[in-house]
Amino acid sequence: MLQENVADLSKYVEPDRVRREVYTDAQIYELEMQRIHEKVWIYCGHESQVPQPGDYYTVQIGRQPMVMVRGKDRKVHVLYNRCPHRGNMICGDRHGSAGEFFRCSYHAWTFHHDGKLRSIPMMDSGYQGTRWGRDNPDCNMKPAARVAAYRGFVFASLVADGPDLVEFLGRSKIAFDDICDRSPEGEVEVVPNCFRVVQRSNWKIFLENQLDALHPSVTHQSTGRAAREVEIEIEKRTGHAPLSYHMLSAFATVTIDKWDAFQTLNYPYGHCILTGYMGLRPKDPDTLEYERVLAKAYGEKRKEEILSTNIHHVLIYPGLSVQSPLQQLRAVRPLGVDKTLTEIWHFRLKGAPEPIYRRALAYYNLVNSPSTMINADDLENFWKCHSGLASNGGDWVSFHRHYGRDLEKGGVVETGPNMGTSEAPMRNQMKAWAQYMTAEK
Amino acid sequence: MATKSKAKKKSPVKTVRRDRAPARVKSAVQRPNGRDTQHAVEQFLYRQAEILDGKRWQDYIDLFAEDGVYWMPPDPSHTTWDGMPAIFAEDRNLMTVRMKRVLHPDAWSQRPLWGTNHVVGNVVIEKESPNGDVVARSRFHMLELRRDDIRHFAGRYVHHLRKTRDGFRIKLQRVDMTNAQAAYDYVLQVWV
Ligand code: FES
Ligand SMILES: [Fe+2]
């Protein structure tokens, strides 16, 4: 067995530091897939990606190729993308429509959208007297053990036991509440485009970076400065620069000490929130119009609550990074110990004025598209981190920043006042990692 | 080069070429200047590719009209960049941000050895207006080297060119990459 070859994993993680093999060892990676990704709730997609019966999207959960499909009963199912006959993948495209039913391209077995066997060519003559046939559940496409949705965001877990989705999400479900509540109808729909970018680094390096409030002013200085220069120049010329310049220039104008004013909140199961508002509530006519629409839908008091939700990023461990005020998210799909795919989606607030969609879209295009001037430098760092960790130049990764100064209240670890750049989120993620990895006998 | 009198003609003389398939004759009807335009556009596209590979960012931006846009849709079915997800949808201001970024000494991802090589061909004049503005489509193939990694990008350009006293300026350059929908191994740091 694999686990016998790996030393006691509890020795790899200490509260303030982690051994480098956690990021680079291929056997540990396999165990992570078994013990974390193929067990916990993993984000599959949004219900609006599969509006019609038969619509499907393929999705990787751990090492398992899965398919999310809308059934005739309107339910969203998540199935292993595998034919029970000889193992052929049923859906070869990334997404599409299966039509009335799935049909295997190899020997034409067909399946209902919930995975149940529909027909086998010459079933009677071919299978009479064998143990293979309609009554045998092994002849169905296997479903994920558990599927659940929270406000339209679909998750699946490949094991039957464990916390249910809402319990698992805990306070991190605010990511989806914040996205949806910003719509006057309380709902979003997906913008039909997925940007997919591969990182040559371990999946955890990306997650740790998402709430690393120290890095932006260093890593993204070049883009922040460049955007600021052009922003000033446009302001001089026209009196007003579009908000998208501010979204970029903030990476330079918010200096390290200012990032410390932000706060991180760290929850069970490794989830974390980074607070900090990127100035998305200006007083221009578009925003005021949007506020009027929201007030009409929710009332003045609730509108204020919704718009003052103070979130920059929500990280739902181990596979999702959500920027709820901008209605976008990045799903993390590990492809190997040193290779990670991010799938990046944007959502439209139903019923909100068009300019509000466009404002968030500008961020999606500028920061999250494959031409990103921001993530370009992140990915460079991730690759360098992974390469450095693969060396014998040191055994430990340090998470000491503001260690020992966190405040714990009822299972929630908050960074202390003016310690927003604390490495508490990394410590929290690795704590969850160690719990998952050592829970097994 | 185009002259006003020529451009005004209602039914311009067809330029007949021996190597042209019959289907092409129709587009020749819309091209008052035929061979001259073809040559001028080809030279423009080749120079643009040369400027890009030469990392002459400001010269590249200056090929665009004041209201010019560089657009790379993620999907060939898109008909506008306005309000749509886009890999690039940049006016001269945003292009200037991009230029300033790559020139900044702390653009970490720019530090490694990095270069591109574009080949542009299959240039077809789709439309030439009486005022000399041109719509041209072409194909490109680009090889990029970064550290020890080679990537290939290929696809189609559509240039909407405005005729000015100083030659063509780009009103809109649409870039449909054949690999637009593929997963990106790393990102695109500058225009393709
Ligand atoms: S493998 Fe699917 S029908 Fe044979
Ligand atoms: Fe970053």
Side-chain angles (χ1 to χ4, degrees), chain B residues 82 130 157:
Chain B
D82 194 26
Y157 291 140

Side-chain angles (χ1 to χ4, degrees), chain A residues 198 200 358 370-371 376 380, chain B residues 82 87 146-147 184-185 188:
Chain A
V198 172
R200 300 219 187 161
R358 287 178 178 234
S371 78
E380 170 79 3
Chain B
D82 194 26
I87 299 171
R146 188 161 174 274
R147 291 203 183 84
Y184 289 77
D185 189 352
L188 300 169

Side-chain angles (χ1 to χ4, degrees), chain B residues 7 36 44 47 72-73 76 91 130 134 139 161 166 173 176 185:
Chain B
D36 285 350
F44 180 84
R47 292 222 166 89
M72 184 189 288
D91 59 9
V134 172
R139 294 272 164 179
L161 300 173
D166 309 321
Q173 177 175 358
D176 279 289
D185 189 352

Side-chain angles (χ1 to χ4, degrees), chain A residues 404-430:
Chain A
R405 290 171 217 152
D406 303 327
L407 312 168
E408 186 156 354
K409 289 184 208 154
V412 182
V413 175
E414 292 182 9
T415 47
N418 228 17
M419 295 180 201
T421 63
S422 165
E423 281 162 344
M426 298 80 179
R427 296 191 284 270
N428 191 50
Q429 288 171 45
M430 283 316 302

Side-chain angles (χ1 to χ4, degrees), chain B residues 5-157:
Chain B
S5 63
K6 251 187 181 177
K8 268 181 195 153
K9 278 186 194 166
K10 279 263 154 67
S11 52
V13 183
K14 282 179 192 172
T15 42
V16 181
R17 287 203 204 152
R18 262 178 248 116
D19 60 349
R20 179 170 289 137
R24 288 275 182 277
V25 176
K26 196 175 161 242
S27 58
V29 175
Q30 298 171 321
R31 297 197 289 111
N33 304 303
R35 196 163 286 194
D36 285 350
T37 305
Q38 178 76 27
H39 180 75
V41 169
E42 282 176 0
Q43 288 299 308
F44 180 84
L45 297 180
Y46 300 161
R47 292 222 166 89
Q48 187 191 20
E50 216 169 57
I51 287 169
L52 188 52
D53 290 335
K55 303 184 181 181
R56 290 158 50 199
W57 312 123
Q58 188 61 57
D59 291 347
Y60 188 83
I61 294 170
D62 288 341
L63 294 176
F64 285 75
E66 279 308 311
D67 56 349
V69 171
Y70 178 94
W71 173 37
M72 184 189 288
D75 189 298
S77 70
H78 291 191
T79 54
T80 175
W81 52 269
D82 194 26
M84 299 292 281
I87 299 171
F88 288 87
E90 298 190 350
D91 59 9
R92 288 179 56 119
N93 288 330
L94 275 173
M95 294 178 86
T96 304
V97 174
R98 192 172 288 282
M99 170 183 74
K100 285 176 180 278
R101 172 189 172 264
V102 297
L103 292 176
H104 193 282
D106 292 346
W108 312 110
S109 56
Q110 277 291 313
R111 299 283 281 272
L113 175 67
W114 175 75
T116 61
N117 185 81
H118 285 75
V119 177
V120 180
N122 308 19
V123 181
V124 176
I125 308 298
E126 211 162 81
K127 193 178 166 201
E128 182 171 2
S129 305
N131 65 2
D133 289 2
V134 172
V135 179
R137 57 178 193 266
S138 57
R139 294 272 164 179
F140 66 89
H141 196 115
M142 184 265 261
L143 176 145
E144 179 207 63
L145 176 78
R146 188 161 174 274
R147 291 203 183 84
D148 290 332
D149 294 327
I150 286 172
R151 297 194 295 179
H152 290 273
F153 296 97
R156 188 181 77 156
Y157 291 140

Side-chain angles (χ1 to χ4, degrees), chain A residues 82-90 103-111 119-121 127:
Chain A
R82 177 197 190 276
C83 179
H85 178 216
R86 298 248 291 273
N88 209 29
M89 284 213 308
I90 298 288
R103 183 176 186 275
C104 180
S105 61
Y106 200 176
H107 312 95
W109 289 31
T110 62
F111 306 89
S119 68
I120 299 178
Y127 287 86

